[in-house]
Amino acid sequence: MASFGVGGAHPGGLQLTKSILARENIDQETLILDVGCGTGQTSAYIAEKYRCSVTSLDSNNIMLEKAKQRFLSLNLAINVMHGSVENLPFCDGLFDFILSESVTSFTDASLTIQEFKRVLKPNGVLLAIEMVLEDSLSEEELKIIIEFYGVSQILSELDWYNLFKKTGFKEISVGKFKQQSNKNDIDIDAAPDFLLSENIDDKLLAILEKHEQLRKTYKDKLGFYVFRCSF
Ligand SMILES: C[S@@+](CC[C@H](N)C(=O)[O-])C[C@H]1O[C@@H](n2cnc3c(N)ncnc32)[C@H](O)[C@@H]1O
């Protein structure tokens, strides 16, 4: 993804992000952490729209470089941090919101969710968009998906719910996001954001094709849900 220069890399794109954030109370005093920020599309949107304090963290340096370029070109003062969500470089109880858009599945989810809880204020909110297993997959199918995407696990809605609960989140609400299947329904806000790198290798284009093929094959078995977790 970093090599492709894919900016907004979660299902639903910026449109979904906007609708999730619009339901929250965010003002200039709010402190938001965008974990696994990628190339910073969401962080830039939040900083421009809400004029609040945004911290963008990712473990991939190519992503962070692209995020920095984006923030510089938009003249946005956003804190950019290199680090892992499994061991966040922040003190306890710092943030009002954590946004995790298609990130936790790539990590040890149990560790990561504990870290989210630790760095959130007691009245803080975690907003997470995650891949969810909606129907059973064979061992072989699971292996194909896990290997291709590099995710650490594919959890069901109940698995996610139990993980959030076990970590100490008390209020957990779940929204289901459905991918548009009609190819003619192109919505610029819901589409991926490309800051394409130069000299893209043919191998990378093959990866994008494979992604599209897997997305179609498993569209009824893999969903993307929005989890809102608070204490
Ligand atoms: C699918 S992309 C999503 C990027 C961005 N949130 C978005 O929606 O456009 C996953 C991102 O998570 C980052 N990531 C993966 N594992 C991570 C970890 N342990 N700590 C921090 N970031 C991580 C990747 O580098 C990548 O930028």
Side-chain angles (χ1 to χ4, degrees):
M1 268 182 40
S3 313
F4 266 124
V6 177
H10 60 272
L14 191 57
Q15 190 181 56
L16 179 63
T17 306
K18 286 179 181 175
S19 71
I20 294 169
L21 293 171
R23 291 183 221 126
E24 305 296 338
N25 281 327
I26 302 172
D27 59 29
Q28 290 184 6
E29 306 300 310
T30 308
L31 270 69
I32 299 190
L33 172 62
D34 181 16
V35 292
C37 63
T39 65
Q41 186 193 36
T42 289
S43 296
Y45 168 73
I46 298 171
E48 274 188 332
K49 163 92 181 162
Y50 296 100
R51 300 280 151 201
C52 61
S53 159
V54 181
T55 300
S56 310
L57 175 133
D58 206 286
S59 57
N60 182 300
N61 281 321
I62 303 177
M63 291 293 193
L64 285 178
E65 268 317 306
K66 288 182 189 258
K68 280 184 199 161
Q69 279 172 30
R70 183 194 296 272
F71 303 153
L72 198 64
S73 70
L74 296 170
N75 206 17
L76 294 171
I78 292 178
N79 311 313
V80 178
M81 302 273 301
H82 181 266
S84 172
V85 287
E86 291 160 355
N87 184 18
L88 287 169
F90 306 110
C91 63
D92 298 0
L94 191 58
F95 295 100
D96 297 294
F97 288 92
I98 294 178
L99 202 52
S100 169
E101 299 185 302
S102 212
V103 178
T104 309
S105 294
F106 293 92
T107 68
D108 178 329
S110 181
L111 265 186
T112 299
I113 294 168
Q114 282 175 50
E115 279 295 87
F116 290 163
K117 182 186 175 247
R118 183 182 67 75
V119 303
L120 272 174
K121 289 180 182 170
N123 59 347
V125 175
L126 166 65
L127 299 166
I129 303 173
E130 291 302 335
M131 186 188 276
V132 173
L133 187 61
E134 294 185 317
D135 200 350
S136 58
L137 291 172
S138 69
E139 288 288 312
E140 186 55 28
E141 288 175 316
L142 273 175
K143 191 163 167 261
I144 290 170
I145 294 167
I146 287 175
E147 273 179 9
F148 179 75
Y149 288 107
V151 289
S152 305
Q153 63 268 299
I154 306 178
L155 303 178
S156 67
E157 180 180 352
L158 185 64
D159 294 333
W160 281 111
Y161 183 89
N162 287 339
L163 262 182
F164 292 128
K165 266 273 171 213
K166 192 181 86 182
T167 311
F169 288 101
K170 294 199 172 69
E171 304 284 326
I172 300 156
S173 59
V174 186
K176 300 179 184 180
F177 168 73
K178 273 278 159 228
Q179 299 263 17
Q180 282 286 2
S181 50
N182 184 350
K183 275 215 147 191
N184 297 324
D185 287 348
I186 295 172
D187 182 327
I188 202 74
D189 262 1
D193 170 48
F194 289 96
L195 265 176
L196 290 178
S197 305
E198 286 172 20
N199 305 323
I200 294 172
D201 199 285
D202 280 353
K203 278 190 209 143
L204 290 174
L205 290 172
I207 290 173
L208 199 55
E209 236 169 71
K210 171 96 175 166
H211 158 68
E212 196 47 27
Q213 181 210 330
L214 288 177
R215 194 184 65 77
K216 282 188 191 144
T217 308
Y218 297 110
K219 70 178 171 23
D220 296 325
K221 296 193 169 187
L222 288 177
F224 286 89
Y225 292 12
V226 180
F227 295 94
R228 183 187 191 280
C229 309
S230 59
F231 304 104

